[in-house]
Amino acid sequence: PQMEVGVDLYEVRAWIRPDQVGPLSSIPAEITKAYLADGRKYRLKSETVQRAVKEAVGDETKPYWIARNIYQYVMSKLDYKLSGGWDTAPLLLERGSGSCSEYAFVLIAMCRAAGIPARYVAGIVTRGDDAFVDNVFHRWAEIYLPGMGWIPVDPDRGDKKTPRGQAMGFGNLANKLLIT
């Protein structure tokens, strides 16, 4: 059996003013309960994750800058390597490389350990023509910023040499991804 589906893909671009993001204390309880929880891929209490959060965040208390510092940290510490494994965040930080899924695991672990709710997102990458869907999947994260809601953050896609390229992975989601 086959199924044919028509979809419209939209690019997401979040316009975030850091001074308008609320404090961590204003995040709804149901979101913190679900999206600050530990998981087998995250290991929030590991010494490696805790040390990385401390190094990335320092004394910062504003949610936007906490998240942005973690995003920059992940990109500076990991190199993309499609190895086929789904290792844990501490192991990835120690190894220094990972796939798109693994970049997401590290970002989620560090954000959650720092008090920023984060969740895992997966999708199918489409190519230039609407009739063809690649069989390649892509994974990234979404973080919850108080007063803004869920924001896409993709440290793998943002792992570029230029500031513009790096900025495109924070708050932006290309219209080439069909979220599954």
Side-chain angles (χ1 to χ4, degrees):
Q2 287 186 330
M3 180 171 83
E4 190 173 312
V5 178
V7 297
D8 290 322
L9 299 175
Y10 298 93
E11 183 171 359
V12 174
R13 286 192 177 198
W15 183 255
I16 304 168
R17 292 193 49 194
D19 61 324
Q20 292 182 347
V21 174
L24 292 175
S25 61
S26 68
I27 299 171
E30 65 273 9
I31 290 175
T32 59
K33 182 179 180 188
Y35 299 105
L36 290 182
D38 203 349
R40 67 178 198 257
K41 295 295 181 191
Y42 308 135
R43 305 213 175 134
L44 306 181
K45 294 180 181 161
S46 79
E47 186 178 315
T48 302
V49 170
Q50 290 295 314
R51 185 176 45 248
V53 169
K54 198 169 283 185
E55 190 177 323
V57 175
D59 294 329
E60 184 58 64
T61 60
K62 295 177 180 166
Y64 172 84
W65 293 111
I66 291 170
R68 193 64 188 226
N69 289 348
I70 290 170
Y71 171 73
Q72 292 295 140
Y73 183 89
V74 171
M75 292 186 305
S76 74
K77 296 297 181 184
L78 295 182
D79 289 318
Y80 183 82
K81 193 173 283 184
L82 184 57
S83 59
W86 278 20
D87 289 320
T88 64
L91 179 62
L92 297 163
L93 283 164
E94 291 165 8
R95 187 175 70 209
S97 66
S99 66
C100 59
S101 298
E102 293 169 323
Y103 270 70
F105 295 156
V106 172
L107 182 103
I108 292 166
M110 289 181 67
C111 281
R112 287 183 178 193
I116 304 288
R119 63 187 181 191
Y120 186 77
V121 185
I124 298 170
V125 179
T126 62
R127 296 212 178 154
D129 95 50
D130 292 338
F132 183 81
V133 176
D134 199 340
N135 63 354
V136 174
F137 295 94
H138 184 62
R139 278 101 175 155
W140 63 98
E142 288 181 336
I143 62 167
Y144 187 88
L145 293 178
M148 301 297 298
W150 290 103
I151 305 297
V153 179
D154 189 345
D156 169 39
R157 295 247 170 174
D159 198 1
K160 308 286 187 230
K161 293 191 186 310
T162 66
R164 181 187 185 283
Q166 292 171 5
M168 293 308 290
F170 196 96
N172 295 296
L173 187 62
N175 67 347
K176 294 178 186 234
L177 300 167
L178 176 61
I179 298 172
T180 56

